[in-house]
Amino acid sequence: TRGRVCLNNLEIAHYRAHIAYLFQFPEAIFFSDSVGKELEDICAGRSEFQKGAFDRVGVSFEEIEHRHPFTLSEGYARLTALAMQFARQPDVLILDEPTIGLDWKHQERVIGALKEWLEPQRILVAVTHDLDLLREMQGMTWLMADGGLRWSGATQDLLSDDTLLKSYALRA
């Protein structure tokens, strides 16, 4: 297949440094042998000023700086990967199931960090089945199913439409 992805009539590659993507499985983002080295690599040497991103999601950078990323629990790996994307200071943040596998406390931390990060000039795209995350983040929602767009509109409209939620198995 062929095609182009554009934003404001510019190829998306033009924006590469401004876009961060977090995979559903955080181990897909790790390449270095320590969290500290990973942060240094992902922030292109600006890591000294970016360690506060870990505090945002409830992770002590000092406790994991010298650990290999693969030794982190799944939840801590997810939080660490998210903190690294925050540290990049992107204008667009794309997240695939950002709260999956997190306990309630860390889900709340992630939602709080996303709300703090989100400003009018920034764009958050979250692929999720987590209605609590949608409820907290508001904005616009696009419901995708069976390979296509099935609904779009204000998040609040989706959350208040029981028929729509049930028809796409978002609510029992």
Side-chain angles (χ1 to χ4, degrees), residues 91 117-123:
D91 296 318
W117 174 84
L118 196 56
E119 296 174 357
Q121 73 276 13
R122 290 182 171 158
I123 298 170

Side-chain angles (χ1 to χ4, degrees), residues 18-38:
H18 305 281
I19 299 172
Y21 178 77
L22 182 62
F23 297 94
Q24 180 174 354
F25 301 103
E27 60 273 11
I29 199 173
F30 299 129
F31 297 100
S32 299
D33 61 1
S34 75
V35 172
K37 177 75 169 110
E38 195 73 45

